[in-house]
Amino acid sequence: MDAVLDDLARHWWLYAAIPFIAALIGYVTKRVAIEMMFKPLEFVGVKPFLGWQGVVPKHGGRMAAVATELLTSNLLDVKEVFRRIDPAIITREIEQPLLRAVDEVAREVLEQHHPRLWEVMPTMAQELLIKQVQAATPRLVREFMAELTENLDEVLDFQHMTVQRLTRDKKLLVRLIRETSRPEMAFIARTGIYFGFGLGVVQAIVWAATKEPWVLPIFGGCIGLFTDWLAIKLIFVPREPVRLGRVILQGKFQRRRAEVAHQYGEMIANEILTVPNLLDAALRGPRSDRLYALVERLVAKAVDEQASAARPMVALAVGGQRLQVIKQAAARKALERLPPTIRHAEGYLTEAMDVAKIVERRMLGLTPLEFEGLLRPAFRQDEWKLIAVGGAIGFVVGELQVLLMLH
């Protein structure tokens, strides 16, 4: 005992340093584990055994599918979102660009597919025809919105759009998870300091009593393993508040439900379910042919209505087959003009759909287990690897401590 006390007196500064070094081990292993979750975006190293890719980008497809499933099954009904759009208001918002688009489409189609008829028509007759088509356009827009909302599942594959967007843009997927879990990441790093310091005190006492070279690396490895495991657990459990006297215990992520719900809703509204993204998915997605069929049907109906009064003359001058070609061309050009036309109503559409508020409200109504599913998949797949890396780093730093203590 006297020898131990004498050693402590002569090398007190080394023993005093052990808890601080252990705290540093705890912090460094956590920071490394956190960064390994998100970086690098692409695999770095020699496949398949030597190298690393961030857990989130590596399993981007699966995580995107999980996030989309949560979004579509619990947080968002896309039909409900579209029903919030008032066709009268959107028609008013895009009135001028819509009239210009109708004018351009009508002229281009007739000039391209029946130039002789268009050329021999008096200018006044041309303008009258254009005005008639423009006059019918507001009703056409209302019919389009009604049919689009009613048949939305046939026209828009929302799940495909979301998964593709998150899978294609790995930075977005990483940002979606990292931004909503930033306080939890900071919490993991801080716990490494506190638990590491406490274990370091025990480590110093054991070293003083044994002088066993394996003590420091084994303790270092245990610090890395245990603190990584415990920090991840404390993020999620307990799911429900547990009162211990005046202290209330609950997983940090669960406690931040209101903040997370608001932040997640904003990101979904601003990064995923935006007007340009929805348009792109409808126009270029796997069900775009059905959107074209819908537009073609409405355009054909409008053309027939305009030509009904003079159908025999139109049929004689144009021909039934060419009239069908004109309808198809008008539908294609209408879809081409759709994005720049709708852009003028983007502000109204974003405000009317109010995706952020809908997602936030629904998230607040999730059960604790469902809410945990928002972030938990980011950890579960390779959680053991992150913990193992923490243990390995702790072991190496402990071995460096041995060299310091002995030499």
Side-chain angles (χ1 to χ4, degrees), residues 393-405:
I393 294 175
F395 185 91
V396 171
V397 175
E399 188 64 32
L400 294 176
Q401 281 183 289
V402 172
L403 297 176
L404 175 66
M405 297 297 287

Side-chain angles (χ1 to χ4, degrees), residues 76-87 90 144-153 155-156 158 161 273-275 277-279 281-282 291 342 348-349 352-355 358:
L76 206 59
D77 181 348
V78 184
K79 276 193 174 183
E80 177 192 342
V81 170
F82 269 73
R83 287 193 188 103
R84 300 167 71 95
I85 300 171
D86 188 331
I90 192 173
F144 173 73
M145 290 301 301
E147 289 211 31
L148 181 64
T149 304
E150 187 64 29
N151 303 288
L152 191 60
D153 292 336
V155 173
L156 177 66
F158 177 63
M161 181 197 86
L273 203 65
T274 64
V275 174
N277 286 350
L278 286 169
L279 266 176
L291 177 66
I342 288 294
Y348 163 71
L349 289 170
M353 292 190 299
D354 203 11
V355 172
I358 293 176

Side-chain angles (χ1 to χ4, degrees), residues 45 48 51 87 149 165 183 198 212 222 236 273 325 331 354 358-359 380 391 394:
T149 304
R165 176 98 171 102
E212 172 57 53
C222 290
F236 302 105
L273 203 65
V325 172
D354 203 11
I358 293 176
V359 172
R380 187 175 285 119

Side-chain angles (χ1 to χ4, degrees), residues 297-313:
R297 188 170 67 251
L298 291 173
V299 168
K301 180 182 174 183
V303 171
D304 287 340
E305 287 175 354
Q306 294 303 316
S308 60
R311 183 174 293 276
M313 185 175 64

